Amino acid sequence: MLILSLTMAAHEAFAFGFQDAVIQAKQLASQSYSPDPQIPEALSQIDQNTFERIAIKPSASLWQTARFGIDPISAGYIYDQPVDLYEVTPDSVAPIMFDKNKFDWPSQAFAQTVPANLGFAGFSVHYPLSGQDARDVMLTFLGGAQFGVVAANQVPGAHARGVAIDTGLPQGEQFPRFTKFWLVRPNPSDLQLTIYALLDGKSLTGAYEFVIRPNGSRVDVHVTASLFPRTGISRLGLAPLSTMYFYGQTGQRPAGQWRPAAYESDGLLMHTGEGDWVFRSLQNPATLRVSEFAADGIRGFGFMQRQTRFCQFEDAIARFERRPSLWVTTEAGFGKGKIVLVQIPTNSDLHENQIAFFQPTEVVDTAHPVSFAYTLSAGNSDVAQEPLAQVRRPLIGTVKLKADDKNEKAYRINLDFSGGRLGSLASNEPVIAQIDTSGTANIQEQAVIPLPEAGHWRLSMLLVPTGKSVVTIDASLALNKKIISETWRYDLPSDLTRFGQMK
């Protein structure tokens, strides 16, 4: 038995591991920051359509006999700083060399302009998510510290980053980048894949381990990281997520827009240290907005896409209803701190304008490196495994209190809930509303009624602002003095004429 155990341990040992990445990150942090050289200008000036026509040949993918496969992505377009790729086996760490002959280029003339040492922008990981013989792109590392994950039958949407630095602050955000990746070659029967990465930026370096585990209708990525600051950092964001919200459930549809809605995620869900579930509907603000939520010992947070019907968007190209929900289950390093939501005005659906992350309370500088771990899960809107009823659709408008009023005086808010205990309740159950405006609005009316669709209930309220700058709302459902829904958290301008304004 002892001999067998030693043999198995030797078999599972690899020539490179997380601590090797940590050593490199520490060494790099002791040196001044030096950005990597960029690719030739002619290749960085190509447009997105041209870049997307560059593809590695199927025969050149790594690990043809394994469930997992790697497709390196050529540098070009805005991805103008190449990354280094290595393959790790039990016996060796070997660089993956760029070979232009392994790519299909837009034309023969274009191929002749590509230097032999152009390099890689990143890579994608494919796996049979939708069937035994499928070759589905499951995860992509491409650009900066970004990585995107999708489950079966989804298309790319909200994505993750390795870290966020000074996001939403006046001095401007920094964008460190992954510069090296070590890809651990899996066995043909392996059901998980391990990747190590080195992060480098002006203010810090970092070592990362990603363990990818496809799991039915969801994909889990376990992340372990150690960060080494070069300087003090004002705002460090752990487990950052980014998504796009143009218009949709709240506010007005911009002039000339034909779709009912355009967004990748409809809300930020948080599972607090006290065990409460809070859902913040997203909005496209008129000016930069930074919201902070107390989050000592936060258990999880993520961007949800709860609208999953084509008719809610009517976009056969973008397919917003197929965008993933992303959920962070926190582990080490998420003690005292807050969740920060940064919302940036946008006038199109091309820009990711919603960023959420955990900001630790502790000082972050050269004397205080940071280590943390979490699991990022991609899937449908149930990926967080929330047991309570969920807000499915907020409907918000302005109304006059009296027929002779010249202007609207109040907000009419209808919140539709489903899930949790609501699915088994009779229509005459005494479900009540719990509403807290912290004195920013008077509650003129409130009612909870069952809807025609079984298991769906509506909380309707009429709120009159008291004149403060912002109306803040926490609303949930209760039955027999017990909360049975998540808390919907939102804010609205006290000046009703500003409702729905977008830049």
Side-chain angles (χ1 to χ4, degrees):
M1 289 292 294
L2 178 61
I3 295 174
L4 177 61
S5 298
L6 292 173
T7 302
M8 292 179 64
H11 176 72
E12 293 173 356
F14 284 85
F16 188 94
F18 178 61
Q19 289 305 315
D20 296 297
V22 169
I23 292 171
Q24 292 202 23
K26 281 183 178 179
Q27 293 175 341
L28 194 60
S30 66
Q31 307 167 14
S32 59
Y33 176 61
S34 178
D36 291 336
Q38 297 182 341
I39 63 175
E41 184 176 358
L43 287 165
S44 65
Q45 295 299 315
I46 64 175
D47 58 25
Q48 183 176 359
N49 180 62
T50 302
F51 178 72
E52 291 177 348
R53 292 167 59 196
I54 303 171
I56 193 163
K57 296 177 180 178
S59 60
S61 293
L62 274 66
W63 312 328
Q64 296 279 341
T65 61
R67 284 187 174 91
F68 297 92
I70 298 290
D71 284 352
I73 300 172
S74 168
Y77 182 42
I78 59 175
Y79 310 109
D80 56 2
Q81 291 181 284
V83 301
D84 296 329
L85 303 182
Y86 300 87
E87 182 183 40
V88 178
T89 70
D91 304 315
S92 66
V93 179
I96 299 171
M97 306 304 296
F98 177 83
D99 183 349
K100 61 183 290 184
N101 295 319
K102 293 183 178 181
F103 287 85
D104 288 322
W105 304 97
S107 67
Q108 185 61 38
F110 186 98
Q112 292 176 354
T113 68
V114 177
N117 62 345
L118 176 62
F120 304 112
F123 61 94
S124 62
V125 180
H126 53 81
Y127 186 87
L129 293 171
S130 58
Q132 183 175 357
D133 298 323
R135 193 173 180 274
D136 304 305
V137 174
M138 176 179 63
L139 184 147
T140 302
F141 284 93
L142 181 63
Q146 298 181 4
F147 58 103
V149 190
V150 296
N153 302 313
Q154 294 185 328
V155 298
H159 67 258
R161 302 192 212 171
V163 71
I165 299 178
D166 293 346
T167 307
L169 294 182
Q171 63 260 40
E173 184 172 7
Q174 296 182 33
F175 295 96
R177 54 186 292 269
F178 291 123
T179 58
K180 294 182 180 181
F181 293 94
W182 293 267
L183 315 174
V184 179
R185 184 200 292 174
N187 294 315
S189 60
D190 283 353
L191 299 177
Q192 70 178 36
L193 174 68
T194 300
I195 297 170
Y196 304 105
L198 179 69
L199 182 86
D200 191 17
K202 182 179 179 181
S203 294
L204 56 69
T205 67
Y208 286 77
E209 178 189 66
F210 302 94
V211 180
I212 303 101
R213 302 185 181 102
N215 182 18
S217 61
R218 61 187 281 165
V219 174
D220 295 328
V221 181
H222 187 266
V223 182
T224 304
S226 292
L227 304 177
F228 303 95
R230 284 188 166 106
T231 63
I233 298 174
S234 300
R235 175 179 285 166
L236 178 70
L238 305 185
L241 306 174
S242 300
T243 192
M244 180 278 296
Y245 187 95
F246 183 18
Y247 67 91
Q249 294 186 305
T250 59
Q252 301 172 358
R253 184 188 303 183
Q257 291 293 327
W258 57 271
R259 297 170 295 190
Y263 54 80
E264 294 178 332
S265 309
D266 55 2
L268 171 65
L269 180 64
M270 295 168 279
H271 190 194
T272 70
E274 294 76 28
D276 298 328
W277 293 83
V278 178
F279 186 75
R280 171 64 174 255
S281 293
L282 299 180
Q283 54 186 300
N284 183 5
T287 59
L288 176 70
R289 172 175 293 183
V290 179
S291 303
E292 299 179 349
F293 308 97
D296 286 356
I298 186 80
R299 301 182 187 186
F301 65 95
F303 284 127
M304 299 293 108
Q305 175 58 302
R306 292 178 171 173
Q307 310 310 312
T308 57
R309 292 183 296 168
F310 176 76
C311 64
Q312 292 166 319
F313 302 98
E314 295 289 352
D315 193 326
I317 304 299
R319 303 307 300 269
F320 294 117
E321 78 282 2
R322 293 176 57 192
R323 305 298 174 104
S325 293
L326 296 185
W327 180 251
V328 169
T329 302
T330 61
E331 298 176 24
F334 292 83
K336 292 185 177 181
K338 56 192 174 183
I339 296 294
V340 179
L341 173 63
V342 179
Q343 298 178 293
I344 304 168
T346 185
N347 57 8
S348 79
D349 61 4
L350 300 178
H351 308 292
E352 292 194 322
N353 64 325
Q354 314 278 325
I355 307 99
F357 50 83
F358 176 81
Q359 181 180 345
T361 300
E362 290 80 4
V363 172
V364 179
D365 57 25
T366 55
H368 298 88
V370 177
S371 294
F372 58 99
Y374 63 94
T375 296
L376 174 71
S377 300
N380 60 29
S381 60
D382 295 327
V383 72
Q385 299 181 323
E386 179 184 2
L388 301 177
Q390 303 172 6
V391 174
R392 293 298 177 179
R393 183 174 58 172
L395 301 170
I396 305 175
T398 57
V399 298
K400 297 178 180 180
L401 294 177
K402 300 178 181 178
D404 56 353
D405 284 343
K406 293 183 178 180
N407 299 308
E408 286 79 4
K409 301 289 187 180
Y411 286 108
R412 170 62 70 186
I413 302 175
N414 293 311
L415 299 178
D416 291 354
F417 291 83
S418 69
R421 289 191 59 189
L422 294 182
S424 60
L425 293 184
S427 60
N428 60 351
E429 293 278 4
V431 180
I432 64 172
Q434 300 274 20
I435 305 171
D436 181 12
T437 65
S438 300
T440 61
N442 294 320
I443 305 169
Q444 296 291 100
E445 297 177 9
Q446 59 174 301
V448 179
I449 58 174
L451 295 176
E453 187 175 357
H456 289 67
W457 291 64
R458 174 169 292 180
L459 164 55
S460 183
M461 56 186 130
L462 189 66
L463 304 182
V464 180
T466 57
K468 296 185 179 180
S469 58
V470 176
V471 175
T472 62
I473 310 157
D474 273 13
S476 59
L477 301 181
L479 177 65
N480 298 326
K481 298 182 180 181
K482 184 177 181 179
I483 299 296
I484 61 171
S485 79
E486 65 190 14
T487 297
W488 182 73
R489 181 166 294 169
Y490 205 64
D491 56 55
L492 292 162
S494 60
D495 179 0
L496 276 73
T497 63
R498 294 178 53 222
F499 171 66
Q501 289 185 0
M502 292 189 298
K503 196 167 183 178

